[in-house]
Amino acid sequence: MEVDREFKIVTLGEGRVGKTSLAMRYVRGQFNEKEQSTTNANFLEKNIRINETSIKLNIWDTAGQERFRALAPNYYREAKGALLVYDITDKESFWKVVSWVEELKMQADKDISFVIAGNKCDLELDRQIPKEQAIAYAKQIGAAHYSTSAKSGMGVNECFEEIAKLILDKESRSGSPIRSSKARSRVIVKNQEEVVKKKKSGGCC
Amino acid sequence: MEYVDKYGFVSETKPKRSNLSFIKVNSRIEKWQKMLTQWEKYTTSKEKILKNRCRKGIPDVIRGRAWYMMSNTQKVKDYYPKNMYEDIKTSNLRSANMNDINKDLARTFPENVYFRFQGGQEALLNVLRAYSLLDTEVGYCQGMAYLVGVLLMFMDEENAFYLFVNIMYNFDMRGYFLNGMEKTYLSLYITNKLMKLYEPALWEHFNDVGFVSQIYATQWYVTIFTYSFQMETILRIWDCYLYEGPKILYRMSLGFMRFSKNHLKNLGIDLILRKVREIEETIDVEQWFKVSFNISLSRKRIKEIEKEYIEGPDEEFIQWRA
């Protein structure tokens, strides 16, 4: 198959939030209740088409535990997009997303696109992170927020494809002249739809 | 239809029958029983025989005891206060790593019937918690659960604990799990250098396509090859590792690439890792060992490369580092 573009994407987030499950659901359409704990990183790929462009996504699915952060720069370096995953039933995992954003802003490609996924939203009853809070934060950093469930499949295609769209958008925009040096740090909130829609309805799924 | 193999792993395909005859297995068991009773002799004057028998694979019924002896774990156990394991296990001490440990219990060998349920997970928890209390600097790190899991298939909690302590300290697995993972970078440096020395064409190809050793070898070293191979294969590696020591990791890694090179030499980055993972799952352990043990690689050479890395590493073999 002819591929027009190739994008490197990383999944980042606390251990056991479902990074591997999201990637597996997206690429293979499968969900394994008993997914192994990841050491170092897995690699998956998927060909997609957005508008007229065929894109190959190279997804690096990393190990979540803090210690492996020492190896993470090698995976997010040169990445064009990051899927930052937290578990809606685990408060700490959301703060981990915040700290990943801080690190990526300092260390990663300046143009890296973020999408935040609040995973395990099939466990709505155990939710610890108010959705509004997560969405507001996503907006702050110019990222899209998705409620996902690797188990049910909800939001999974959308969040990965959103990353691809964001990257494409950035590429086409950077083709145009940059007005000032400040322009680079300007961020545009994509997918307002979810922001608005989800604010009104309390739950998901 | 689900099948369970002899190590308790569930799969949808029928487990492969061993191609060793019943008679052969029994004769090996007898040989090992004899060796275990004359251990002193076999670790000194008959050392070569012992080493070769390890490389051929230790019979399952003997394995736990053999590992314990080969690795000199009794010495480690004797070094610590009497009943230390039981005391730590039953103490109320709070481990700072409980959260991380708990998260991995159900995610370690989830396809294994023993670790799928309470019993196996509880044993894992006990050993990992005790270790995290003994070695607070390392505490717990992802990867460790797999190592303890392998041990628990062949011995009780207490012996598994001491053998694990032994691996961590005396086989220097700690270096991989400490903050910063320094040892990982050293191991990758050695891997790269050996690739250039022994498989220059493949090394060059990997460089051309950007297939750096961190991608494939980190998991191998951090889990002593436990993460993605068949259990049968993993155990054969451990049989050698626990007797010959950590050097075996480099030999197996280099052997893997030499064995697989015809499948990998023309592939681009996107297919190459997939192929490596595929080979991991299906590799014929006898063939792999044959290639690996035929490589002439001395402890001295590895020591030299280690020294070089510490004193003044060659940039060519440092990939990807921040």
Side-chain angles (χ1 to χ4, degrees), chain B residues 34 38 111 147 180 218 227 250 255 260 267 283 300 322:
Chain B
K34 191 175 150 211
Q38 304 171 27
E111 304 301 337
L147 305 183
T218 307
Y227 190 64
Y250 301 115
S260 319
L267 300 179
I283 196 163
K300 202 173 131 230

Side-chain angles (χ1 to χ4, degrees), chain B residues 8 81 154 168 204 293:
Chain B
F154 293 95
M168 289 293 277
E204 206 165 292
F293 289 117

Side-chain angles (χ1 to χ4, degrees), chain B residues 39 67-77 166 242:
Chain B
W39 195 246
W67 280 1
Y68 190 83
M69 291 182 78
M70 281 152 56
S71 57
N72 274 320
T73 298
Q74 189 58 39
K75 238 179 159 171
V76 175
K77 189 173 178 178
N166 193 3
L242 289 172

Side-chain angles (χ1 to χ4, degrees), chain A residues 118-144:
Chain A
N119 194 36
K120 304 195 191 176
C121 72
D122 48 290
L123 303 173
E124 185 60 39
L125 289 175
D126 301 319
R127 175 184 282 282
Q128 283 191 7
I129 293 291
K131 196 182 292 169
E132 295 71 24
Q133 184 187 356
I135 290 170
Y137 173 70
K139 197 173 164 188
Q140 279 294 332
I141 61 161

Side-chain angles (χ1 to χ4, degrees), chain A residues 37 45 56 65 67 74, chain B residues 142 146 177 214 274 320:
Chain A
S37 133
E45 56 191 348
K56 191 163 123 207
Q65 205 202 343
R67 208 77 49 97
N74 295 328
Chain B
Q142 258 168 4
Y146 291 103
F177 295 116
Q214 184 183 328
R274 197 194 291 174
W320 265 26

